[in-house]
Amino acid sequence: MTGLPDGARFELAPGYDICRLIVGGWQLSAGHKPDAVEVDETLEGLVAMADMGLDTFDCADIYTGVEELYGRSLRRLGVETLDLIQLYWWDFRRGDWLRAVRALGDLRREGKIRQVGATNFTAGDVALMESAGVHVVSDQVQYSALDRRPEGSGLAAACSRFGMHLLCYGALAGGFLTATWHGAPDPGHGRLANRSLVKYRLIIDEFGGWEAYQALLSTLSAVGEEHGVDAAAVALRFVLDRPGVAAAIVGFSSAVRMRDNLRALSLRLSDDDHARIHAHSDRAPGPRGDIFGLERDREGPHGRIMRYDLNAEGR
């Protein structure tokens, strides 16, 4: 395995450490990956990433087809204990989600899982999990230079209170925070390749629109040029430096692209670098509100593109 720089790993819980760049599987799921991607090619890419030291992988049961690639269950992995299970709950108005939390606690005591985490849970939600007797080691949330809701919502402060850390998806905003889009014309919402891009294009609207986003991307590119890296490495490092953050999740892409992303682990941003980036997000009108608040509003533009019916019959 290729050696990683100092600080490339993070102890999420005693005796359990992860890579600070996590390989995300959403882009391998049905409706996101290019139809031409072959299974063998994908597996070769995953192995290559593990050889680089990227040995922490994110998956979910709704990532159609990805579980089979990863081997997520105990049976498929050939192990007796899963390292970390993170709970996500589509609609808090339906079902008894705290009962599910307690069930995870039971599985931990039985030795089937080692650690319990959450996904898109607010600080208040995490407090309820803790009061139910289940310690939460992680909360997987959207966090980027475009979307700093974890700070304004009090979730970052909850990390210190509960001894929890954040695993951050969307740090590259589906690719919008990369050189690919620097100086590019606004594609609008109707000509984007998948729901992931539509999702983050809506975040750009909340941020202040295409012009404000391009100004941020120009600063990320300028900071990167000064450090000899690209804008993506700066965007990743920016998130990794935020209080309470353990790791950033980067969607699966080519091994070459991931090698470039690895440079974020050795990059050191100065206080001035952070101030220049913060200047854009500090004056942005949004996004505002609680974690996943925009996305849970099924009548709003963010909620309308979410697939809340994945458990419906025939899906």
Side-chain angles (χ1 to χ4, degrees):
M1 181 174 69
T2 301
L4 294 175
D6 291 341
R9 301 195 69 81
F10 189 94
E11 189 175 63
L12 198 59
Y16 175 51
D17 67 282
I18 61 174
C19 182
R20 296 203 74 193
L21 284 187
I22 298 174
V23 179
W26 189 24
Q27 293 180 356
L28 295 174
S29 63
H32 293 88
K33 66 179 181 180
D35 294 335
V37 172
E38 298 290 340
V39 171
D40 288 346
E41 180 183 340
T42 300
L43 290 174
E44 288 175 3
L46 291 170
V47 170
M49 290 172 195
D51 288 342
M52 294 178 204
L54 295 169
D55 60 0
T56 308
F57 298 86
D58 171 66
C59 187
D61 55 359
I62 65 169
Y63 297 176
T64 307
V66 180
E67 185 173 296
E68 288 81 358
L69 285 172
Y70 281 4
R72 180 173 170 266
S73 67
L74 293 175
R75 176 177 55 80
R76 288 177 176 140
L77 286 170
V79 298
E80 296 183 358
T81 305
L82 295 175
D83 288 325
L84 172 65
I85 292 291
Q86 298 185 114
L87 175 68
Y88 176 64
W89 202 261
W90 284 111
D91 188 345
F92 287 101
R93 299 169 300 179
R94 301 178 62 182
D96 187 350
W97 69 273
L98 280 176
R99 181 181 178 186
V101 168
R102 296 186 183 99
L104 289 176
D106 291 340
L107 289 172
R108 185 173 62 187
R109 283 185 287 274
E110 293 168 10
K112 295 298 184 182
I113 58 178
R114 289 193 176 90
Q115 308 296 339
V116 175
T119 299
N120 293 324
F121 276 31
T122 67
D125 299 331
V126 171
L128 288 173
M129 291 181 73
E130 293 280 345
S131 67
V134 179
H135 176 54
V136 184
V137 301
S138 63
D139 194 1
Q140 184 169 310
V141 297
Q142 186 167 297
Y143 203 170
S144 72
L146 279 170
D147 185 355
R148 289 168 53 195
R149 281 179 288 176
E151 297 174 33
S153 65
L155 186 60
C159 289
S160 177
R161 177 183 176 191
F162 296 117
M164 176 185 74
H165 290 88
L166 304 180
L167 307 181
C168 305
Y169 67 88
L172 295 181
F176 277 119
L177 292 179
T178 68
T180 301
W181 290 95
H182 189 201
D186 184 356
H189 300 86
R191 299 190 301 275
L192 295 168
N194 54 54
R195 284 189 305 114
S196 180
L197 287 174
V198 174
K199 166 186 170 62
Y200 292 111
R201 180 61 186 81
L202 289 168
I203 291 296
I204 288 173
D205 286 342
E206 300 287 341
F207 188 76
W210 195 256
E211 184 176 344
Y213 148 70
Q214 282 291 325
L216 168 64
L217 188 51
S218 292
T219 294
L220 293 174
S221 298
V223 171
E225 186 174 350
E226 293 164 13
H227 288 275
V229 299
D230 61 11
V234 177
L236 290 170
R237 188 73 241 179
F238 176 82
V239 171
L240 291 172
D241 286 345
R242 307 313 305 145
V245 171
I249 301 170
V250 182
F252 177 90
S253 60
S254 70
V256 172
R257 177 66 258 173
M258 292 302 285
R259 283 192 186 93
D260 289 339
N261 290 334
L262 274 173
R263 302 180 74 181
L265 296 178
S266 56
L267 175 62
R268 296 295 177 264
L269 297 179
S270 68
D271 290 343
D272 180 64
D273 293 332
H274 277 286
R276 290 159 66 188
I277 298 168
H278 271 283
H280 295 280
S281 49
D282 285 347
R283 61 174 172 259
R288 294 283 184 264
D290 223 332
I291 294 299
F292 215 62
L294 293 170
E295 294 81 359
R296 287 196 192 278
D297 177 8
R298 300 193 185 193
E299 303 304 316
H302 299 267
R304 286 198 296 269
I305 69 165
M306 303 299 293
R307 296 180 64 185
Y308 287 102
D309 58 352
L310 287 168
N311 292 327
E313 185 177 353
R315 292 279 174 176

